[in-house]
Amino acid sequence: MDMIENIQKRKDGTVQFQMDSDVVVIKFLIPLGFADLIQKSGYAHLIEHMIVQSNKKYLTYLEKQGIQFNAETKDSMTEYIFIELQDGILQEELDSGNLEEIFGTEFKEEGLSIEKNTILQEHLLLCSRLDEAEVNEMIGSREEISEFELNRAKKIHDEYDGKYSTIIFGKLEQADGEAARLEKMTFEENWIEKVSFEAVIRESNKVEIHVKKDQYGEILSYCLKILFCGMVTDYALKIVHKSEVIKIVLKGDISRLREVNRYKENAYHHYYLLLTSFKYLCNEVTYVARYLEGNPDIEKTYFQSDWEEKLCEKIFEKEILCSGSV
């Protein structure tokens, strides 16, 4: 697949996705997300807000130069995204180290007060279209948001200082021009048999699957991501990456789950067409670079074996399954 073949690793460890486009996107990924903290208190989302608040002047300057900026807290990482159409300013800001400096800025009490109110308003808006429990998980409950503490935010921020990774989309060239094209891996045909299932909890309208967080668990979660990428609208898929476990939640009529398998090929074609969207492509490259070890050939891995049948066998084997392997 072109998406995999164009992923390269530069000498400084930065991942670059080479593409023939005047658009340049730079993503900084901090391995801190709302599912990572022991107490789901919303501090990961707060830190995203505080970093933006602490660099408002610089980010405003970039926006005046035509650079778009956005940040998003996900389950196991936070993305900081810079987009430029063609002027080359991002290249200069990246080479000078200015972009990375935003992650080392100091948090202040005044900024905390502003962001508490902002996140409370965000909580209200999200609850108008999402389940409140889900909103609480993502950004904290209203009580937790009101009790955010500056010292705790600083402590968490310091723990992740300098731990970000960088992905570049576009034709930017490093000064020494060195980049290594990542070789594709193809897992053996029976890769599904190496997935370690820690729990399968089935209900009539939902199944929750916990698998060990290794390369095989990641492959399974990504195959499901493709299968339910929009073709099968009767089901909603949620994947949460924790430190040692991947939690996969599939909502819908579980009794009809076997029927979904017939959409396997169509779902892949649909997924491939989605990659023509620049935004979708950037998100997928980020996902692959962040989660999939060994740079597997996604197409071959997806179609190898009858993984979807074996997964259904596991789901319908027992109501609750613990500590087993396929």
Side-chain angles (χ1 to χ4, degrees):
M1 176 188 285
D2 292 342
M3 181 178 72
I4 293 295
E5 292 171 353
N6 289 341
I7 297 177
Q8 300 178 338
K9 182 165 285 188
R10 291 158 46 136
K11 191 175 181 180
D12 60 1
T14 298
V15 172
Q16 180 159 355
F17 181 77
Q18 290 282 9
M19 59 187 182
D20 186 17
S21 172
D22 289 330
V23 179
V24 173
V25 176
I26 297 178
K27 286 189 179 185
F28 294 97
L29 312 178
I30 295 179
L32 171 66
F34 60 77
D36 289 339
L37 302 176
I38 296 175
Q39 295 179 343
K40 295 178 181 177
S41 54
Y43 270 87
H45 187 64
L46 171 66
I47 288 169
E48 174 211 314
H49 274 248
M50 293 293 286
I51 287 176
V52 174
Q53 170 65 225
S54 302
N55 293 276
K56 211 165 187 180
K57 186 175 180 180
Y58 175 61
L59 294 174
T60 300
Y61 160 76
L62 291 180
E63 288 179 340
K64 287 181 178 178
Q65 308 307 309
I67 295 172
Q68 300 175 38
F69 169 77
N70 193 24
E72 182 179 0
T73 305
K74 299 185 176 181
D75 64 323
S76 61
M77 66 178 173
T78 306
E79 292 186 4
Y80 297 83
I81 308 162
F82 298 85
I83 304 173
E84 182 181 30
L85 294 181
Q86 51 182 267
D87 291 335
I89 297 172
L90 269 183
Q91 171 84 68
E92 297 174 5
E93 294 298 306
L94 181 68
D95 292 344
S96 66
N98 290 339
L99 290 180
E100 290 95 330
E101 285 183 4
I102 70 171
F103 303 115
T105 49
E106 184 180 354
F107 294 169
K108 297 181 180 179
E109 194 68 54
E110 181 183 0
L112 175 65
S113 178
I114 292 171
E115 294 313 317
K116 275 186 182 182
N117 291 328
T118 301
I119 296 173
L120 284 170
Q121 291 299 316
E122 185 179 357
H123 189 283
L124 187 64
L125 289 172
L126 287 172
C127 283
S128 67
R129 56 188 179 85
L130 297 174
D131 182 77
E132 185 172 354
E134 185 177 355
V135 177
N136 292 345
E137 180 183 26
M138 292 165 55
I139 67 174
S141 67
R142 296 188 66 83
E143 293 76 15
E144 289 169 334
I145 295 167
S146 299
E147 294 174 2
F148 282 153
E149 297 177 356
L150 185 64
N151 285 338
R152 186 177 178 195
K154 285 182 175 180
K155 183 178 179 181
I156 296 172
H157 176 243
D158 290 344
E159 289 176 3
Y160 289 88
D161 187 25
K163 294 184 179 178
Y164 58 84
S165 55
T166 309
I167 302 181
I168 299 171
F169 305 82
K171 296 185 290 188
L172 294 191
E173 291 295 336
Q174 201 173 19
D176 58 17
E178 290 192 29
R181 189 176 296 279
L182 303 184
E183 294 183 3
K184 289 192 291 187
M185 288 180 59
T186 302
F187 290 114
E188 57 269 32
E189 191 170 343
N190 64 343
W191 63 265
I192 182 66
E193 296 180 7
K194 296 191 176 183
V195 176
S196 295
F197 289 82
E198 300 194 356
V200 177
I201 306 169
R202 192 183 77 240
E203 301 174 12
S204 60
N205 63 342
K206 182 179 77 172
V207 62
E208 185 170 312
I209 306 163
H210 295 185
V211 298
K212 181 180 177 181
K213 190 176 181 181
D214 57 18
Q215 58 184 341
Y216 299 103
E218 298 285 11
I219 287 294
L220 174 61
S221 69
Y222 200 77
C223 286
L224 285 168
K225 187 174 183 292
I226 293 174
L227 184 60
F228 293 95
C229 69
M231 279 287 296
V232 189
T233 56
D234 293 339
Y235 292 87
L237 177 70
K238 181 180 180 182
I239 300 172
V240 178
H241 295 79
K242 295 182 176 289
S243 57
E244 297 180 356
V245 172
I246 303 170
K247 185 171 75 171
I248 302 167
V249 180
L250 188 61
K251 294 183 179 180
D253 187 351
I254 303 306
S255 66
R256 297 179 56 245
L257 197 55
R258 292 183 187 275
E259 298 177 20
V260 177
N261 295 344
R262 66 185 178 181
Y263 294 108
K264 181 179 179 180
E265 186 169 349
N266 288 340
Y268 187 83
H269 293 321
H270 177 70
Y271 164 80
Y272 194 86
L273 287 173
L274 287 174
L275 294 179
T276 60
S277 160
F278 187 84
K279 181 178 179 180
Y280 194 91
L281 175 65
C282 288
N283 286 335
E284 290 304 283
V285 171
T286 302
Y287 199 104
V288 169
R290 177 73 175 85
Y291 295 119
L292 298 185
E293 299 178 15
N295 206 42
D297 185 320
I298 293 175
E299 182 176 12
K300 288 184 179 178
T301 305
Y302 179 81
F303 284 110
Q304 275 180 338
S305 80
D306 53 348
W307 60 267
E308 71 283 4
E309 288 290 348
K310 291 183 178 178
L311 179 61
C312 281
E313 290 175 9
K314 185 60 65 177
I315 290 173
F316 292 104
E317 184 178 316
K318 293 180 181 178
E319 190 70 17
I320 298 179
L321 170 74
C322 293
S323 301
S325 295
V326 174

